[in-house]
Amino acid sequence: MKLTKKGDLFVLLLIVFVILVFMVFMNFPQKNNLQGANVFLKGENILTIKEEGVYSIRNEEGDFLMNVEYFDNKIRVTDSTCPLHVCENTGWVDNPNQPIICIPNEIVVKPVGTSKNSGIDIYTW
């Protein structure tokens, strides 16, 4: 006695095909349109970045805290004075939904722009 029929095999192949097509379309790179960034120190907006370049971030006393680099619609932190340099290790960010946070220096670099809805609420490393 046969346990499978031609119709069962067809349905199984159709399901696998639909899943593969869905996976291919979900993994296409999505183009984000980054237009700059806002830099917050202790919750206060201290700098708005709109042009490419390297920007030095200093506290109220004028002490150097970090450099923020904006280039090719991406942003990153370089030369931070924090002990673990987690903000530097974040690397280039091109998604407006992914801020760069430096807790010891109390700085948040929030990219500004538009992005396609990816359905991702949070990033973890």
Side-chain angles (χ1 to χ4, degrees):
M1 177 189 297
K2 281 181 134 183
L3 295 177
T4 61
K5 299 176 186 172
K6 287 184 181 181
D8 294 340
L9 183 61
F10 176 74
V11 169
L12 181 63
L13 290 175
L14 182 66
I15 291 172
V16 170
F17 177 74
V18 168
I19 290 172
L20 288 175
V21 167
F22 180 73
M23 288 174 54
V24 167
F25 281 115
M26 291 302 293
N27 289 323
F28 273 129
Q30 296 181 356
K31 176 87 170 132
N32 292 317
N33 189 11
L34 200 64
Q35 298 155 349
N38 291 324
V39 180
F40 297 90
L41 175 64
K42 297 181 182 176
E44 203 173 305
N45 190 356
I46 60 166
L47 178 65
T48 299
I49 299 172
K50 293 191 179 209
E51 296 181 14
E52 292 184 352
V54 178
Y55 300 85
S56 293
I57 308 301
R58 299 182 181 275
N59 62 9
E60 296 88 7
E61 292 82 33
D63 298 329
F64 173 79
L65 297 176
M66 70 174 55
N67 282 334
V68 177
E69 183 178 358
Y70 178 57
F71 179 72
D72 196 27
N73 290 332
K74 297 178 188 172
I75 195 153
R76 72 174 175 173
V77 170
T78 59
D79 303 327
S80 177
T81 59
C82 61
L84 297 178
H85 303 282
V86 174
C87 51
E88 288 181 44
N89 295 333
T90 301
W92 289 102
V93 173
D94 63 351
N95 186 349
N97 297 326
Q98 183 183 5
I100 301 172
I101 301 172
C102 182
I103 294 176
N105 289 331
E106 300 181 54
I107 294 178
V108 176
V109 179
K110 176 71 176 108
V112 176
T114 57
S115 68
K116 293 184 179 178
N117 186 6
S118 64
I120 298 173
D121 289 345
I122 190 168
Y123 289 91
T124 59
W125 287 271

